[in-house]
Amino acid sequence: MIDGHANARVVDALRDAIAFRGEVGLQVAAYLGDELVIDAWAGVADPASGRPVGGDTLFNVFSVSKAVASMAVHVQAERGLVEYDQPVARYWPEFGANGKDGITVRDVLNHHTGTPQMPAGTTPELICDWDAVCAGIAGLAPILPRHKPAYQAMSFGWITGEIVRRTDNKRRSFRDFLREEIAAPYGIDDLWMGIDPQVAPRIATLIDEDSSRAAPEASLFAQALPNSVRLVPAVFNLPAVRQACLPAVGGIFTARSEARFWAILAGGGQLDGKRLLSRQRVLDACQPRPGGNDADPVYFNAPMTLAQGGFWKPSESGMTCAAKGGSPLSICVPGAGGSLGWADPESGLAVAFCHNRMFRPTSCDSHPLTAIAALIRDELGL
């Protein structure tokens, strides 16, 4: 049941973020246990037309998508179809080419493959072709040692997705697997990884403050996230890209659907009395990744505080610090432009923040969600 007083205060905070912090359109939703307790929105989804944000407005969430891709791998592990310490090549033989035969599923989840790059010649057209991207990734050779963290900004999605697809007894597309095994059974209506065209009018228009800031072509970051497909409106407003399944960066969600997804993890693997993962599996995924604070050469040698199991741990960085304030078990995943979702299996709190003004938070104070998250915790007594 939505807490009316708390929800009204959050709506006011969202309006303040628009008035004083430059936000355009945004949503926040929170679950506490099985209950949706916050469901708030404000602003405009499309400044050109003045279309307002509603509860069912859809937003690009970029790398928050990786949480859903990781969950799918854990579902297959829960069913005994995937083992974390087995080579990816056991499930996807072609992946073992060019020295990748020892890379394990756990390595992938922990961003320890040494193969963060995308295939040469990656274009918007290529990323819409699942089989072509997977063939290109299978043919890659490691460019870094496996003991070094190397953020798989885009390739993470196809590797995890193909592991799931290859181990699915029904051989469904990854998009269909997510819809049928995670979203539909838990009443999560708007967790799109490749939209149906009829929902396109509900998508908020991306507004990017960093569209001119391409990474240096020779950098590891540009190899992992090529400038030709960087996370900007010119690429991610394309109908074909919206309709493609891009599990690392292509999620288009509402905050209430995303929060419901995180509520499964905050509930220790269950929601509404239905269990998807064992509590122990969730707790294991909440542990810090070995070397989780090491500088990541892909991420311009900045530390990335990753957890095991494909998630992040909240930190003092501008990307994830709004998720701090919970228990040490808290996990999160940030997305380019400032989107964020998180879960705390100790308190049962799950929160999702979606918006359409992309920016790069450089500190906790610079992220509008920091104050909103603190307000949510205060209102809920957490």
Side-chain angles (χ1 to χ4, degrees):
M1 179 182 298
I2 294 173
D3 184 319
H5 179 269
N7 204 68
R9 288 197 65 196
V10 171
V11 170
D12 287 343
L14 298 183
R15 290 172 177 163
D16 285 348
I18 293 168
F20 303 114
R21 288 184 172 268
E23 288 296 311
V24 178
L26 60 171
Q27 295 170 336
V28 175
Y31 272 78
L32 188 59
D34 295 342
E35 297 289 341
L36 178 65
V37 291
I38 301 291
D39 190 19
W41 56 85
V44 294
D46 178 29
S49 67
R51 172 166 56 99
V53 172
D56 64 350
T57 300
L58 291 159
F59 290 85
N60 294 81
V61 300
F62 297 108
S63 281
V64 178
S65 312
K66 291 180 174 72
V68 182
S70 299
M71 175 81 93
V73 174
H74 294 307
V75 168
Q76 293 299 78
E78 186 76 17
R79 295 170 178 174
L81 299 171
V82 168
E83 295 180 26
Y84 299 122
D85 293 315
Q86 286 296 314
V88 174
R90 173 179 173 181
Y91 312 109
W92 177 10
E94 298 90 334
F95 183 83
N98 296 319
K100 300 195 303 302
D101 52 303
I103 294 172
T104 67
V105 175
R106 192 182 303 276
D107 290 332
V108 174
L109 291 171
N110 287 344
H111 297 263
H112 270 265
T113 68
T115 316
Q117 74 272 30
M118 286 289 287
T122 292
T123 63
E125 292 75 24
L126 179 71
I127 63 174
C128 296
D129 186 333
W130 183 277
D131 290 339
V133 177
C134 287
I137 289 173
L140 295 173
I143 57 175
L144 293 167
R146 276 172 58 195
H147 70 272
K148 288 183 83 71
Y151 185 55
Q152 301 158 123
M154 292 196 91
S155 62
F156 182 91
W158 283 285
I159 300 173
T160 52
E162 190 67 358
I163 291 168
V164 170
R165 197 184 70 81
R166 296 275 182 135
T167 57
D168 177 24
N169 293 329
K170 297 181 181 178
R171 293 297 188 270
R172 287 164 289 187
S173 68
F174 188 61
R175 177 181 184 270
D176 288 347
F177 181 93
L178 294 177
R179 296 291 298 172
E180 295 171 14
E181 299 297 331
I182 297 175
Y186 289 88
I188 306 174
D189 297 328
D190 282 316
L191 205 71
W192 296 97
M193 205 74 78
I195 65 161
D196 286 341
Q198 66 264 25
V199 308
R202 290 200 279 128
I203 301 174
T205 300
L206 283 172
I207 299 162
D208 184 15
E209 297 180 354
D210 295 312
S211 59
S212 63
R213 296 178 62 179
E217 286 290 343
S219 67
L220 284 170
F221 188 89
Q223 293 182 58
L225 182 58
N227 286 319
S228 57
V229 291
R230 67 187 189 274
L231 310 180
V232 295
V235 176
F236 281 80
N237 281 341
L238 293 172
V241 172
R242 286 175 167 179
Q243 293 171 37
C245 183
L246 314 176
V249 293
I252 298 178
F253 306 157
T254 62
R256 66 165 69 113
S257 282
E258 186 194 321
R260 188 163 175 81
F261 162 80
W262 285 103
I264 299 172
L265 292 162
Q270 69 175 358
L271 182 67
D272 291 341
K274 294 188 293 185
R275 182 163 292 282
L276 184 63
L277 303 175
S278 71
R279 182 168 180 81
Q280 189 60 53
R281 191 175 302 279
V282 172
L283 296 181
D284 289 346
C286 293
Q287 301 308 309
R289 176 192 69 171
N293 291 315
D294 292 349
D296 191 303
V298 175
Y299 209 64
F300 302 106
N301 289 314
M304 302 185 75
T305 56
L306 299 183
Q308 296 189 47
F311 306 107
W312 291 54
K313 300 299 291 183
S315 72
E316 296 298 336
S317 78
M319 293 291 288
T320 65
C321 59
K324 287 185 70 67
S327 79
L329 293 176
S330 294
I331 51 174
C332 61
V333 178
S339 55
L340 182 66
W342 75 88
D344 181 353
E346 184 171 302
S347 68
L349 178 66
V351 181
F353 172 74
C354 302
H355 69 163
N356 57 350
R357 178 185 73 106
M358 297 183 68
F359 73 109
R360 298 188 184 189
T362 56
S363 68
C364 288
D365 289 342
S366 71
H367 199 309
L369 182 55
T370 302
I372 296 167
L375 172 62
I376 290 172
R377 293 190 186 95
D378 181 64
E379 284 292 319
L380 299 178
L382 299 174

